Amino acid sequence: MTDTSVSRIPDSPHPPPAPPPSRWNGYVAAVTGRRSKWAVLAAWLLIVLIAGGFAAKVADVQDNDPASWLPADSQATRAVEIAERHFAEHDRATAVVVYTRDGGLTPADLAKADRDRGATPGATAPTRSADGRSVLFSAPVPMASNDNGVLGDAVGRLRKTTGQAAPAGLDVRVTGQAGTIADYIEVYSGMDGVLLAVALAVVTVVLLVTYRSPVLWSIPLLATFLGTWTALGAVYLLARHAGLKVDGQSSYILMVLGLGVGTDYALLLIARYREELGRRADRHEAMAHALRRCLPAVTASAATVVIASLCLVFGRMNNTQGLGPVVAIGVAVVCLAATSLLPALLVVLGRWVFWPRRPAVAPAGPDAPAAAPGTGLWGRVAAAVDARPRLIWIGSAAALAVLAAAAFTLHSGQALDEQFTGTTDAIAGQRQIARHFPAGSAEPADVYVADARAGAVLARVGRVGGVTSAARDRSAGGYTHLTVVLADEPDTPAARATITRVRDAVAGTGAVVGGQTAVALDTSRAQGAEEALLIPLILAVVLIMLVLLLRALTASLLLIASVVLSYGAALGMAGLLYRALGHPRIDRGLLLFGFLFLVALGIDYTIFLMSRAREEAHLHGHRAGVLNGLRVTGGVITSAGLVLAATFGVMAVVPTVSALQQGLLIAGGVLLDTLVVRSLLIPALALDAGKRIWWPARVDD
């Protein structure tokens, strides 16, 4: 870990002059004032007391029903609506109970299955496999719209009932849609607390190593935690009273992102505050200067993430639309905590929080010349970049491009048994069904058609390749429900292709095709449409924010190109890791998720570097400004990158493949941005381009 304890700016002959009056002065004065700082702390105490009471209830407003997240115009959504309106299947999912004995079912096994079926309301007639080794039946399970505890409890009782008094050697599993959802509920139950605890522990360790102080680490951690907790409370209130959609994924992303981003902002502010304490005896004045210098970069960084996240409301998937505001709320609140609560706390506590390395004012006073140029790690990195800038940026870009090429090996379309890092009861049941029945028996497709056309549609569907059987189930409200068993496992590419053929076969009849595989197909198509719309939109937002902050079009375009290249490299590196870990297929949503966070967050470190380089360049010229910016920000930005990568890395605690892949992608991408893009590529490119990188602004050499 790098040392961020320097209290002087290397290579600067004198401290930066006092900034001119600006729009930040009133805010800075309120946060750092001798009396007003107490009002800031009191306000935060009140906010935390109010919001904190609701933060713990965020799980109560989560909606993890897959059907509720479908695009409104998809066939799968229309199928759900018909089922709810005419077939009284509102808030119900299907559980499939499968009994298997490898040596063949015994009379006692069949009797057990028959007793369980008789004790299960709404159970279908049993279906026995042709090889005599397995038998199954299905049953509806109630599922509340916003609290899946109803379904989880029902499936739990079914598993307990069917598992009791089973003959020795008989394998009994509960699978199907209800079994899968129940497994997800069990996986995420209590996970918010676990993730929060692990993330806090990781951040604590990184801060302890960074500051090497028994006290200082706790201050940014406290401010960041309170900001994140407040954001969770705000999300709960908006979900309860304003219709904000929240699921388990968006909740844990908010916690991880809040802790990581908030700590990043805190590290940047504390590093600048330490510098100013080395120049000024009055800690209020030192914090005022530090905060005024940091606010443009921190607020621009936060605003970039907030606005880019809000672009998600234009997505087609309901969960995409819900994730955007959740992320925006989290980043906005932790930014506010880092720029108000944290500085007020630090000013109240004074210099002693830096113990045992308390920064002291230089003996000659604040106007004394700076110390000799730094010779530490970042001084050596700056010297290396200065010596061969063109070779370094070309070499860095080439290495990233090679990694990016590996991204073309990624393939989407996870089957059910690829969605968890371990084997759940539903997965085990699905595998038993695949061995002894047509693989799609656990999750037949649903076809709803007007009664008058049911016969013709049934005949068409039965002739489609990949369909094992099709049969009438029941009629209601003028509609007939057909169940269609596919030859392939649900959610697989082969099963999705069969659904497409079924839809083509019934085109023009008014029939609607739904079911789990249809949901997966429509979701993938909607995600593809989202990528085409949202990725360019997010890029445009980030570019505009860069231009507004740096007032340099050339630099902004080059920075955008660098983060896109970094995103591609992160995808390629992650793809190689996924294969090594045995999880080669991804959920299609990972591409947009990764793009949003790696572009919006990855640009943070470049903003921190280039805003400081621009500040220094106006004082000392372009070349010295870039090198000084790299030297001064190197330690703190590296620490910030390690914190953010580590916090996203804790997503591996969640035993789902999607969470593992998300964590690895973001953590790896952040490290690439921190250690390669920001440390080598950008400063080398800036030096090679010269002062024209700041065009249309002017910086003298």
Side-chain angles (χ1 to χ4, degrees):
M1 186 69 62
T2 53
D3 183 3
T4 61
S5 64
V6 293
S7 59
R8 306 303 300 257
I9 303 178
D11 283 353
S12 297
H14 51 73
S22 74
R23 62 184 180 277
W24 302 111
N25 286 352
Y27 180 84
V28 170
V31 171
T32 63
R34 298 180 187 279
R35 294 181 180 177
S36 57
K37 65 178 183 289
W38 296 106
V40 171
L41 293 179
W44 266 103
L45 178 61
L46 181 62
I47 291 171
V48 171
L49 287 176
I50 295 173
F54 298 109
K57 299 180 180 180
V58 72
D60 297 342
V61 295
Q62 291 178 4
D63 186 353
N64 294 308
D65 178 4
S68 68
W69 299 102
L70 292 171
D73 58 349
S74 71
Q75 271 205 47
T77 301
R78 295 203 297 275
V80 171
E81 292 171 349
I82 292 172
E84 292 178 351
R85 184 180 306 118
H86 300 293
F87 290 86
E89 293 179 352
H90 177 66
D91 287 343
R92 289 184 178 273
T94 300
V96 179
V97 187
V98 56
Y99 303 80
T100 307
R101 185 184 293 275
D102 291 338
L105 295 171
T106 67
D109 298 337
L110 295 173
K112 163 65 174 170
D114 193 56
R115 288 195 305 272
D116 292 344
R117 185 182 66 84
T120 305
T124 62
T127 301
R128 192 170 178 181
S129 65
D131 60 12
R133 297 178 180 180
S134 188
V135 64
L136 61 79
F137 67 84
S138 61
V141 175
M143 178 171 61
S145 59
N146 280 330
D147 183 1
N148 288 324
V150 175
L151 181 142
D153 293 342
V155 172
R157 289 192 297 271
L158 182 59
R159 283 173 171 164
K160 182 178 180 180
T161 299
T162 56
Q164 287 178 339
L170 179 66
D171 184 80
V172 185
R173 305 287 179 177
V174 177
T175 184
Q177 181 190 23
T180 302
I181 295 174
D183 286 346
Y184 270 104
I185 293 172
E186 183 177 357
V187 161
Y188 285 111
S189 177
M191 188 53 64
D192 288 353
V194 173
L195 273 174
L196 186 59
V198 174
L200 285 171
V202 168
V203 173
T204 297
V205 170
V206 175
L207 290 177
L208 277 169
V209 175
T210 299
Y211 291 129
R212 304 172 203 171
S213 165
V215 180
L216 182 58
W217 66 272
S218 63
I219 310 304
L221 185 63
L222 174 64
T224 301
F225 169 74
L226 292 179
T228 304
W229 197 246
T230 300
L232 281 171
V235 166
Y236 169 84
L237 291 172
L238 290 172
R240 178 67 74 187
H241 302 292
L244 177 65
K245 287 187 173 292
V246 183
D247 64 359
Q249 181 191 58
S250 59
S251 294
Y252 72 66
I253 288 174
L254 186 152
M255 286 187 295
V256 170
L257 183 65
L259 288 174
V261 171
T263 304
D264 280 4
Y265 299 155
L267 285 166
L268 188 69
L269 175 65
I270 292 174
R272 196 64 185 258
Y273 178 46
R274 188 193 290 269
E275 288 182 24
E276 298 299 335
L277 286 173
R279 298 188 179 106
R280 296 171 174 86
D282 187 286
R283 66 181 188 273
H284 296 83
E285 182 184 349
M287 178 57 78
H289 280 264
L291 185 57
R292 192 178 290 110
R293 294 289 184 181
C294 287
L295 270 172
V298 170
T299 54
S301 170
T304 300
V305 181
V306 167
I307 299 175
S309 300
L310 290 177
C311 291
L312 297 186
V313 301
F314 298 108
R316 293 187 60 196
M317 298 289 295
N318 288 332
N319 60 342
T320 302
Q321 296 170 2
L323 178 62
V326 170
V327 170
I329 291 167
V331 172
V333 175
V334 297
C335 176
L336 182 62
T339 57
S340 59
L341 175 60
L342 176 62
L345 282 172
L346 289 170
V347 172
V348 166
L349 295 173
R351 294 173 185 261
W352 71 270
V353 298
F354 290 90
W355 185 86
R357 295 184 297 165
R358 295 172 57 182
V361 179
D367 294 325
T375 57
L377 171 62
W378 291 102
R380 294 193 294 273
V381 171
V385 171
D386 187 33
R388 297 179 179 85
R390 183 167 299 177
L391 177 63
I392 287 177
W393 80 256
I394 291 176
S396 300
L400 293 172
V402 170
L403 272 179
F408 292 102
T409 65
L410 287 172
H411 298 285
S412 62
Q414 290 177 344
L416 171 63
D417 61 357
E418 296 174 323
Q419 294 176 12
F420 294 88
T421 55
T423 300
T424 67
D425 195 58
I427 289 175
Q430 179 63 49
R431 289 173 178 171
Q432 294 288 26
I433 291 173
R435 291 188 188 102
H436 305 288
F437 297 90
S441 298
E443 286 293 340
D446 300 308
V447 178
Y448 297 95
V449 61
D451 291 338
R453 296 186 175 183
V457 168
L458 181 62
R460 291 188 189 187
V461 172
R463 294 192 294 268
V464 173
V467 171
T468 299
S469 64
R472 294 175 186 259
D473 179 25
R474 48 190 163 142
S475 302
Y479 281 90
T480 296
H481 176 215
L482 309 178
T483 57
V484 181
V485 178
L486 308 183
D488 301 289
E489 293 185 32
D491 290 1
T492 59
R496 296 183 191 185
T498 301
I499 291 294
T500 300
R501 291 193 294 271
V502 170
R503 286 176 170 173
D504 291 342
V506 301
T509 66
V512 175
V513 181
Q516 180 177 330
T517 303
V519 166
L521 175 63
D522 290 347
T523 297
S524 179
R525 288 176 174 173
Q527 288 169 338
E530 286 181 337
E531 292 164 16
L533 170 66
L534 296 179
I535 286 178
L537 184 58
I538 292 170
L539 275 179
V541 165
V542 174
L543 177 61
I544 291 170
M545 295 304 296
L546 284 173
V547 171
L548 291 176
L549 173 68
L550 300 176
R551 296 191 287 277
L553 180 60
T554 303
S556 300
L557 290 172
L558 290 175
L559 297 183
I560 282 289
S562 73
V563 295
V564 171
L565 178 60
S566 178
Y567 167 69
L571 273 182
M573 182 172 66
L576 297 175
L577 285 174
Y578 299 161
R579 289 185 176 277
L581 294 173
H583 305 297
R585 290 191 178 274
I586 64 170
D587 179 85
R588 179 78 178 261
L590 179 69
L591 300 178
L592 179 59
F593 174 94
F595 186 84
L596 169 66
F597 289 107
L598 286 180
V599 171
L601 295 177
I603 205 70
D604 278 6
Y605 304 125
T606 305
I607 286 176
F608 296 160
L609 167 66
M610 293 301 285
S611 61
R612 185 60 183 263
R614 181 175 176 273
E615 177 186 328
E616 293 283 326
H618 281 295
L619 293 171
H620 312 298
H622 171 71
R623 176 180 165 277
V626 171
L627 296 175
N628 283 347
L630 179 57
R631 289 191 189 101
V632 176
T633 64
V636 65
I637 294 179
T638 299
S639 297
L642 292 176
V643 167
L644 192 60
T647 51
F648 270 97
V650 306
M651 289 172 65
V653 173
V654 182
T656 62
V657 172
S658 62
L660 173 66
Q661 291 179 335
Q662 289 166 0
L664 289 176
L665 174 61
I666 304 304
V670 167
L671 290 177
L672 282 177
D673 274 319
T674 304
L675 302 177
V676 179
V677 176
R678 186 268 313 171
S679 300
L680 301 175
L681 177 61
I682 295 301
L685 190 58
L687 288 177
D688 195 29
K691 63 182 181 180
R692 61 182 177 272
I693 197 172
W694 303 110
W695 184 88
R698 295 186 60 184
V699 173
D700 296 329
D701 287 331

